[in-house]
């Protein structure tokens, strides 16, 4: 057993190396770092040697080509290069299992099916982890810890190849979820691609906003638009590659927007309320921590000075109250020298935390 898993728990027996990671961006470098953390012999390659060098210098294995052929190749290139790079790996390394970590599965598979290659050694996969930041400087060995990682189960996949990719996922600290190609692309359209597009559309309405309007910006706007800061070129490749599944959802959304516009124009309060209520129900459907059911949370707000150690003290006081912080947000006001921390805790513990914080001198309220 290798050590160093989530919260110090032992990792399962790791995938057997050597492993070659092709592509040293955020995801590729993070995969290589997670494998290196687990003691797996790992090599990383990128079309840009400088990018590979940066990734290797941060703990993403070695950038030198392995002597023995890799047992596993992980393709982590941009979406429009996935098909050709997967095909290249299948040809160049006939004894290796090949997987990819791209966010779209149907388009690369269609490219590969037009070739004469035996695809039994290819098992697509997709870790549901990332950031609006990109490149190896944003990578982290713990990026996948506890996160869901889809492994695509096709009828023509070799059982041994599927098992090796499962081992890769667990070695990186993630949780395996088997899905079909079609189900995967429909799922990511719903939980990732549609939210990103809506965030981008919302953020786009800020481009020509008067400065005095933007002074009213709060945490809600930041929450909604955060992912819109992602690389436009990369996301263009992602959403266009998943055009069919995303298009279905966008047409449904367009119908609902048209209905909302009509309700607003006619003063139909029931129509507006029904739309908002559906949002509440949908939010509750999102799985909670560790994939379990959502827990009813309450929010405790506390004013926090903008100075070193303030957040650490707040956490320590919450720990003294024996209250686990489920989530938090910090709303920064440009006009003030302090922020507002919104702490989400289990509903039954909110009053205890509020009382403790007030006793310790914090300005806190539910």
């Amino acid at each position: 057993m290798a050590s160093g898993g989530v919260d110090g728990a032992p990792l399962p027996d790791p995938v057997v190396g050597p492993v070659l990671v092709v592509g040293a961006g955020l995801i590729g470098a993070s995969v290589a770092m997670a494998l290196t953390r687990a003691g797996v012999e790992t090599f990383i390659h990128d079309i840009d040697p400088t990018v590979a060098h940066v990734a290797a210098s941060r703990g993403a294995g070695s950038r030198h080509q392995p002597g023995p052929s890799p047992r596993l190749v992980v393709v982590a290139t941009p979406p429009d290069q996935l098909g050709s790079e997967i095909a290249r790996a299948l040809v160049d390394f006939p004894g290796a299992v090949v997987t990819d970590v791209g966010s779209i599965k149907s388009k690369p598979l269609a490219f590969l099916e037009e070739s004469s290659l035996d695809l039994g050694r290819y098992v697509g996969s997709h870790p549901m982890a990332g950031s609006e930041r990109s490149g190896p400087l944003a990578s982290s060995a713990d990026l996948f810890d506890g996160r869901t990682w889809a492994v695509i189960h096709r009828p023509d996949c070799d059982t041994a190849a599927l098992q090796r990719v499962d081992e890769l996922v667990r070695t990186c600290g993630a949780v395996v979820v088997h899905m079909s190609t079609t189900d995967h692309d429909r799922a990511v359209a719903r939980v990732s691609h549609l939210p990103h597009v809506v965030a981008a559309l919302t953020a786009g309405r800020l481009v020509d906003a008067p400065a005095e309007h933007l002074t009213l910006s709060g945490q809600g706007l930041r929450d909604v638009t955060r992912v819109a800061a992602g690389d436009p070129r990369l996301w263009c490749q992602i959403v266009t590659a998943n055009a069919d599944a995303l298009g279905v959802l966008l047409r449904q959304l367009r119908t609902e927007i048209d209905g909302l516009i009509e309700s607003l124009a006619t003063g139909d309060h029931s129509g507006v309320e029904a739309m908002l209520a559906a949002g509440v129900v949908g939010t509750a459907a999102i799985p909670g921590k560790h994939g379990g059911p959502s827990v009813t949370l309450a929010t405790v707000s506390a004013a926090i000075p903008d100075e070193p150690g303030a957040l650490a003290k707040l956490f320590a006081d919450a720990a003294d109250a024996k209250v686990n912080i489920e989530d938090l947000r910090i709303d920064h006001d440009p006009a003030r020298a302090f922020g507002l921390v919104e702490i989400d805790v289990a509903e039954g513990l909110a009053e205890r935390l509020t009382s403790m914080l007030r006793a310790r001198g914090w300005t806190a309220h539910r």
Side-chain angles (χ1 to χ4, degrees):
M1 284 282 188
S3 61
V6 182
D7 298 329
L11 287 170
D13 292 333
V15 63
V16 177
V19 176
L20 173 63
V21 179
V22 180
L26 168 65
I27 301 299
S30 295
V31 169
M33 292 173 73
L35 291 172
T36 302
R37 174 186 67 176
V40 179
E41 184 182 18
T42 305
F43 300 88
I44 191 159
H45 170 78
D46 194 279
I47 192 172
D48 185 341
T50 301
V51 173
H53 175 76
V54 171
S57 71
R58 302 191 70 246
S62 169
R63 64 190 182 94
H64 299 293
Q65 188 71 20
S69 293
R71 293 171 58 90
L72 175 66
V73 178
V74 181
V75 178
T77 60
D80 63 354
Q81 300 171 23
L82 282 174
S84 59
E85 288 299 330
I86 294 167
R88 186 194 308 274
L90 288 169
V91 171
D92 290 350
F93 306 105
V97 170
V98 178
T99 188
D100 73 289
V101 290
S103 58
I104 301 300
K105 293 293 159 243
S106 298
K107 190 170 183 179
L109 180 61
F111 176 93
L112 293 168
E113 288 176 337
E114 292 179 357
S115 70
S116 58
L117 296 171
D118 177 6
L119 301 184
R121 291 185 289 118
Y122 165 61
V123 179
S125 73
H126 177 210
M128 295 304 296
S131 168
E132 66 276 12
R133 299 169 61 205
S134 60
L137 289 176
S139 60
S140 171
D142 61 4
L143 182 67
F144 311 109
D145 286 352
R147 305 301 293 269
T148 299
W149 190 318
V151 175
I152 307 306
H153 193 277
R154 305 190 324 272
D156 61 329
C157 289
D158 294 341
T159 301
L162 184 65
Q163 181 179 356
R164 191 165 300 172
V165 176
D166 285 352
E167 290 170 350
L168 164 71
V169 172
R170 297 188 180 102
T171 302
C172 289
V175 179
V176 176
V177 175
H178 288 143
M179 304 185 77
S180 72
T181 303
T182 300
D183 281 346
H184 169 272
D185 286 1
R186 288 174 177 171
V188 293
R190 189 182 303 275
V191 305
S192 176
H193 305 166
L194 180 66
H196 190 99
V197 168
V198 172
L201 290 170
T202 302
R205 296 304 86 218
L206 305 175
V207 173
D208 298 321
E212 60 269 24
H213 291 188
L214 297 177
T215 62
L216 301 182
S217 301
Q219 192 59 39
L221 179 64
R222 295 185 183 96
D223 288 344
V224 170
T225 59
R226 179 184 62 82
V227 297
D231 183 349
R233 290 172 297 179
L234 174 63
W235 274 95
C236 178
Q237 293 182 35
I238 291 172
V239 299
T240 54
N242 204 21
D244 290 344
L246 180 58
V248 170
L249 295 173
L250 285 172
R251 285 188 287 273
Q252 294 172 350
L253 184 61
R254 180 175 61 188
T255 299
E256 293 178 0
I257 291 174
D258 288 341
L260 174 60
I261 292 172
E262 181 66 21
S263 294
L264 292 171
T266 60
D268 178 11
H269 290 196
S270 63
V272 175
E273 185 173 349
M275 180 275 298
L276 296 171
V280 173
V281 174
T283 300
I286 300 173
K289 287 196 310 181
H290 316 304
S294 295
V295 177
T296 301
L297 301 176
T299 300
V300 175
S301 299
I304 184 168
D306 186 12
E307 60 186 37
L311 193 58
K313 184 178 184 302
L314 180 66
F315 288 170
D317 289 342
D320 288 346
K322 294 185 169 35
V323 173
N324 186 52
I325 296 175
E326 305 289 341
D327 201 355
L328 67 84
R329 298 163 297 280
I330 303 178
D331 187 1
H332 302 281
D333 189 334
R336 298 179 300 185
F338 61 89
L340 187 67
V341 179
E342 296 181 342
I343 306 169
D344 291 340
V345 300
E347 190 172 41
L349 300 176
E351 193 59 46
R352 181 200 300 176
L353 178 60
T354 303
S355 298
M356 170 64 84
L357 294 180
R358 288 175 176 171
R360 297 287 178 89
W362 297 92
T363 301
H365 60 87
R366 290 192 59 182

